[in-house]
Structures are given as structure tokens and as C-alpha cells.
Amino acid sequence: MSTEIDIEVVRKTARHNIFAGLALGALAAFFFWKSFAISLDFVDEEGIGPRFFPQSICLALGLIGATMVVFGLREQIAPADKSTFDAKRFFADAVPLFLLGLAFVWMFGAFGYVTACFVLLLVAAVLFAVRGPALILLPVCATAALYLLFFKVMTVFEPAATIFNPLSLFGLK
């Protein structure tokens, strides 16, 4: 009797995976199609272009959706999830990161990408208990790498800072 219940749970979960995979694939296809509306008029350099990142994310989500559909059709499901909600951990980790994300959005507009990214990574490193030289090296190296990736390689448009952009001190902005 127990095996019949387990088989029914597997079939039900597999059906859910099929529908979730199809929904994820449809969502990815929709946003992939909408990404072609991203303007290339302001791109004056050679590079990957501003459509690359959104289209890459859409392709990855489409592959995840297709994988879910295939696993659902084969009735392969993940082992039972035995996770529980820990309110203390949630409020100690997730809420500060959410607030940090909101602060990043505000700082990006007010002080530009470099300042916002550096402060975000520095505070995140402190939250995740990074210590020693890595506490400074990680935000500096990651900010520089992400800046080069997004604004130089992919030629994404960087909006002007409304309050102050520290790059103007170095004649870079």
C-alpha cells in the first residue's frame, strides 16, 4: 500500500514538473522575444551588446524548463525535500540582503555603478563573514571585473549618477 502512495506522489510531482517546465520555457521564450526590443542605437563600440545578458538568462531558463519537462516525462523527481523554515535565519540573512538590494538600486542612480557595486559587495562580504585582505580585495576586484564585463565588453548603457559619480575625479566619466 505504501508503494502505491509513493508511485502516486511521484506521478503527481512529475506532472507538476512538466507544467512548471512548460511555463518556465514559455516565460523564457516570451522574454527572449521581448529582448529584441532593446535598442542598439547607443552602442558605438564593438562588443557583445546589451542584448547578450538578457538573452543568455532566457536561454538558461529555457534549458532549465526543458530539463524539468524531460525529467517529468521520465517520472524522475528529486529526493524528498526535508527543509524547514527558520525565522531567525531568514531575518538574519535574507532580509538584510533584500534591503541591501534596495540600497543598491538607489545608490546606482545616485552615485553610479562603481560606488554602488563596491558598497554592495563590501556589505555582503561583511554579512557573510569575509575577513582579512579578502574583505577589501573581493569588492575591489569584483567591482572592476563586473564594470568591465557589463560596460566595456557587453557595452551596456550606464546612466549618469544624479548626485555624484566618483569616476569623475579620475576623468573616467
Side-chain angles (χ1 to χ4, degrees):
M1 185 133 172
S2 174
T3 57
E4 286 183 27
I5 293 172
D6 291 341
I7 291 172
E8 186 55 36
V9 168
V10 167
R11 287 186 180 147
K12 186 176 181 179
T13 304
R15 280 194 306 268
H16 290 162
N17 286 347
I18 292 170
F19 291 124
L22 289 172
L24 189 58
L27 192 64
F30 173 76
F31 282 113
F32 187 83
W33 172 64
K34 293 299 279 183
S35 72
F36 285 102
I38 296 173
S39 175
L40 298 177
D41 293 340
F42 58 83
V43 177
D44 58 352
E45 303 173 9
E46 290 295 320
I48 295 173
R51 292 180 185 166
F52 174 77
F53 188 68
Q55 289 176 346
S56 298
I57 297 297
C58 290
L59 287 174
L61 288 176
L63 288 173
I64 292 169
T67 302
M68 288 177 70
V69 169
V70 168
F71 282 177
L73 291 172
R74 295 173 67 185
E75 293 187 355
Q76 290 179 322
I77 62 169
D81 183 12
K82 303 220 184 328
S83 62
T84 59
F85 178 75
D86 183 6
K88 182 179 176 186
R89 178 85 190 249
F90 175 77
F91 286 108
D93 292 341
V95 172
L97 289 176
F98 173 75
L99 295 174
L100 189 58
L102 293 178
F104 174 77
V105 171
W106 176 79
M107 286 183 64
F108 186 98
F111 299 103
Y113 176 79
V114 171
T115 304
C117 188
F118 177 77
V119 170
L120 169 92
L121 292 172
L122 182 65
V123 173
V126 169
L127 283 175
F128 286 109
V130 175
R131 298 292 180 253
L135 184 61
I136 296 299
L137 288 175
L138 176 70
V140 168
C141 294
T143 299
L146 291 170
Y147 181 83
L148 292 173
L149 176 69
F150 283 107
F151 301 113
K152 299 304 177 192
V153 175
M154 290 194 295
T155 63
V156 174
F157 175 72
E158 182 183 10
T162 56
I163 295 177
F164 175 70
N165 191 347
L167 291 180
S168 63
L169 294 174
F170 304 109
L172 298 172
K173 249 332 188 178

